[in-house]
Amino acid sequence: MRTPSRPAALVGQVFLGAGAVQAGLLTREQLRSSAWRRVLRGVYVDAALADHPEHRLRAVELLAPPTAVLAGRTAAWLHGVDTAWEEAHPVEVVVPPGARWGPVAGVRIRHARLAAGDVVRIGRRRVTSAVRTAADIARSGPPAETVPVLDPLLSRTGALVSDVWRAVGSGRGCADAREALTRVDQLAESPQESRVRLLLWAAGLRPVSQHVVVDAQGRFVARVDLAFPEQRVAVEYDGWWHAERGQFARDRRRLNALQAAGWRVLHVTAADLHDPTALIARLRALLAS
């Protein structure tokens, strides 16, 4: 089998396939070899590089007009919300009304007029501001989908709910957005914690987020995800990190300390989120006992 051609100018790069062929760096047959991986239509990356969001962003930049602005969940990721990025989710871009570009598979293109204050630079990229990003996400779907992104976005950027509320305005999606903004909690530390909190809210339960538990002498015991302090009941989400080496022993010591302080703990896993009725029943029984 012939070794695929790997010109030095393309090693470690994201590039336009047509440009590489026109420059004589590759033939069309060589472009289709295992040396290169297609990122978007007409855009390729060195296959030796591991998949990374930066490759898709660079691919979009090679195709998009210079007036394009990265937006939505893509912007949230650039603002520091790591959990906002999902491989199955398209890169989100806003272009001015009348701009002719697209459609492009893997890219969600929205035409809108952005005010000067709606656009910031993160590095060399044009990105919607934290407030504009939060408003767009809040309008994009039901609170169960948007709040787990809004919680860390507002926490990391310091954007104010009141400013986002004003930016939401009126029109399509504003009802979902306003409902989401009444449920955000910047203290949440993971998307799953946000989802658990939303389930409890939907059932009429109002836990306290990131509650600090102290013992009878006022000494720190633990900080719990969600708490009902009057009943001394904590709700903790157990994610994959609880299976890490040494974590089990730490979790057990922490649980023993909470129980010694008179607290009971309801542990929630991903499976519990698929049966919210049973989860709420277990919590209500614990609160009533």
Side-chain angles (χ1 to χ4, degrees), residues 19-276:
V21 172
Q22 290 171 2
L25 296 172
L26 296 170
T27 65
R28 294 191 181 278
E29 181 181 357
Q30 290 169 336
L31 184 61
R32 292 191 292 269
S33 77
S34 60
W36 318 108
R37 182 173 65 250
R38 195 174 82 160
V39 186
L40 294 175
R41 185 180 65 203
V43 186
Y44 297 79
V45 65
D46 183 348
L49 298 177
D51 283 334
H52 193 278
E54 280 289 337
H55 302 154
R56 288 176 63 191
L57 294 183
R58 179 60 183 145
V60 168
E61 290 167 344
L62 289 173
L63 297 175
T67 52
V69 179
L70 295 166
R73 291 170 184 258
T74 305
W77 183 78
L78 289 166
H79 278 290
V81 182
D82 293 342
T83 53
W85 186 276
E86 295 180 10
E87 282 301 317
H89 200 276
V91 174
E92 297 184 57
V93 177
V94 173
V95 296
R100 301 184 66 180
W101 181 50
V104 178
V107 184
R108 179 175 295 162
I109 302 168
R110 181 164 57 90
H111 291 79
R113 199 175 304 281
L114 297 173
D118 287 340
V119 182
V120 298
R121 283 197 177 273
I122 297 179
R124 58 184 173 78
R125 293 190 167 108
R126 284 161 44 88
V127 181
T128 51
S129 68
V131 170
R132 179 78 269 156
T133 300
D136 290 344
I137 290 172
R139 283 195 300 250
S140 68
E145 297 176 5
T146 61
V147 170
V149 181
L150 292 172
D151 282 350
L153 177 61
L154 298 184
S155 175
R156 282 166 173 73
T157 63
L160 300 177
V161 171
S162 56
D163 290 340
V164 179
W165 192 283
R166 284 191 290 272
V168 164
S170 59
R172 184 178 180 181
C174 67
D176 277 339
R178 288 170 182 158
E179 183 180 356
L181 292 174
T182 64
R183 300 185 182 188
V184 294
D185 187 337
Q186 290 149 279
L187 295 178
E189 293 190 338
S190 74
Q192 296 295 65
E193 181 185 324
S194 297
R195 292 184 178 101
V196 173
R197 188 186 76 249
L198 290 172
L199 284 177
L200 302 191
W201 272 62
L205 300 169
R206 297 292 184 268
V208 177
S209 295
Q210 296 302 314
H211 180 73
V212 174
V213 177
V214 297
D215 63 16
Q217 288 72 45
R219 294 173 299 197
F220 175 84
V221 174
R223 186 177 61 173
V224 296
D225 294 343
L226 300 165
F228 296 86
E230 290 187 9
Q231 294 90 349
R232 292 192 177 187
V233 169
V235 180
E236 294 268 82
Y237 182 81
D238 289 348
W240 58 267
W241 58 89
H242 288 274
E244 292 180 352
R245 185 176 182 180
Q247 187 61 45
F248 180 80
R250 290 191 292 271
D251 286 345
R252 283 299 170 213
R253 288 194 296 269
R254 184 171 178 273
L255 178 59
N256 290 339
L258 283 166
Q259 290 176 337
W263 280 70
R264 291 163 296 166
V265 181
L266 176 65
H267 293 280
V268 180
T269 67
D272 293 316
L273 298 183
H274 295 295
D275 191 357

Side-chain angles (χ1 to χ4, degrees), residues 231 233 264 282-289:
Q231 294 90 349
V233 169
R264 291 163 296 166
R282 286 166 53 205
L283 177 56
R284 289 193 186 280
L286 197 59
L287 291 171
S289 63

